[in-house]
Amino acid sequence: MTDPYELLGVAKTATLDEIKKAYRKLAKKYHPDINPGNKEAEKKFKEFSHAFDLIGTEEARAKFDRGETEEQQRQQYERYYRDTQGPQSRYSQSFDEDINMEDILSQMFGRSSRKPREELYQMEIDLRESVVGGEKVITLPSGKTLRVKIPAGIVEGKKLKFKGMGVQGGDVYVQIIVRPDPRFRVEGHDLHTTVDVSFFEAALGGEISVPTIEANVLMKIPAGVSTDSKLRLKGKGLGHGDQRGNLIVSLRVVMPKSIDPALKQGLQELAEKYAYDPRGGT
């Protein structure tokens, strides 16, 4: 059996976060959805997923490090069987030549060799999908495909359960990982974004276009706003229904890159007539 640490390219002393990071990188590169029809990529994806099953959680990793995985038990017994049933072994006549290895394993491990096993996989979704929901199809290492319906308002870390879809009829859990969106910063259920406004918009007010998860919307800004003024769009954050957060919009006043002489003269006249001291608060 290939060492899962070696397969994922991490040290045996790696943290769980390092293991998860290595698995995500490999799974993303070799995922069948990204490599349609590529059997070699599909094979590697299954190998990496199986390796992550063995060491991807504290419990599974502890069992693997103690040599308690079902696969290791099978291999240990197969070595024992070869050693005791070889031509030179004094036990070579102990079993019928046609005995089935699966039957031996069943007898040795009892029901445990066929015990349903829970499986955990991770699936990345966009920030938008976490709000509006969606549907994805993933392929398990066993070759089975799962059609995963993403509920609207799902949050990072949520696990979706698929009963009886795992090994020997065990349950499969798909844990949701939400990819960051460069346009937004997440704080709880609230989203934060920054929007540039002109000097004139800041001084006079008006309507500006603001990005939200679903689409751009028009937002009214009052006259006299400054850089770092914050406005709120209710119900445009993360979550669903009454539990949905808000979108907090921070304004940034941007001056023109070059000042036209006529504009400069006009501003000078206005400054003389309507001068104020921003540092003195008047």
Side-chain angles (χ1 to χ4, degrees), residues 149-282:
K149 291 186 177 180
I150 305 165
I154 197 167
V155 295
E156 171 94 16
K158 177 71 175 179
K159 294 177 183 177
L160 303 176
K161 181 178 179 179
F162 296 85
K163 190 173 179 61
M165 291 297 292
V167 175
Q168 299 296 340
D171 298 334
V172 169
Y173 291 86
V174 177
Q175 186 176 37
I176 298 298
I177 306 296
V178 180
R179 282 191 293 267
D181 188 314
R183 300 174 300 167
F184 304 103
R185 177 169 56 86
V186 178
E187 282 190 8
H189 279 62
D190 289 339
L191 293 176
H192 291 252
T193 192
T194 299
V195 176
D196 293 340
V197 296
S198 72
F199 166 78
F200 302 105
E201 289 171 326
L204 302 174
E207 282 190 334
I208 61 172
S209 178
V210 174
T212 72
I213 285 293
E214 289 93 342
N216 284 15
V217 299
L218 290 177
M219 181 182 72
K220 290 184 177 181
I221 58 174
V225 296
S226 303
T227 290
D228 290 334
S229 293
K230 291 178 171 56
L231 302 175
R232 184 182 68 165
L233 288 176
K234 188 175 181 181
K236 292 297 183 180
L238 300 181
H240 185 62
D242 294 338
Q243 301 301 315
R244 190 165 178 184
N246 305 312
L247 174 63
I248 309 301
V249 181
S250 295
L251 302 179
R252 181 171 60 186
V253 180
V254 179
M255 297 299 292
K257 292 182 179 180
S258 62
I259 304 294
D260 183 273
L263 174 61
K264 184 176 181 180
Q265 181 178 348
L267 290 175
Q268 286 176 337
E269 293 174 358
L270 289 174
E272 292 173 1
K273 187 173 183 180
Y274 301 103
Y276 67 97
D277 182 4
R279 289 164 294 283
T282 59

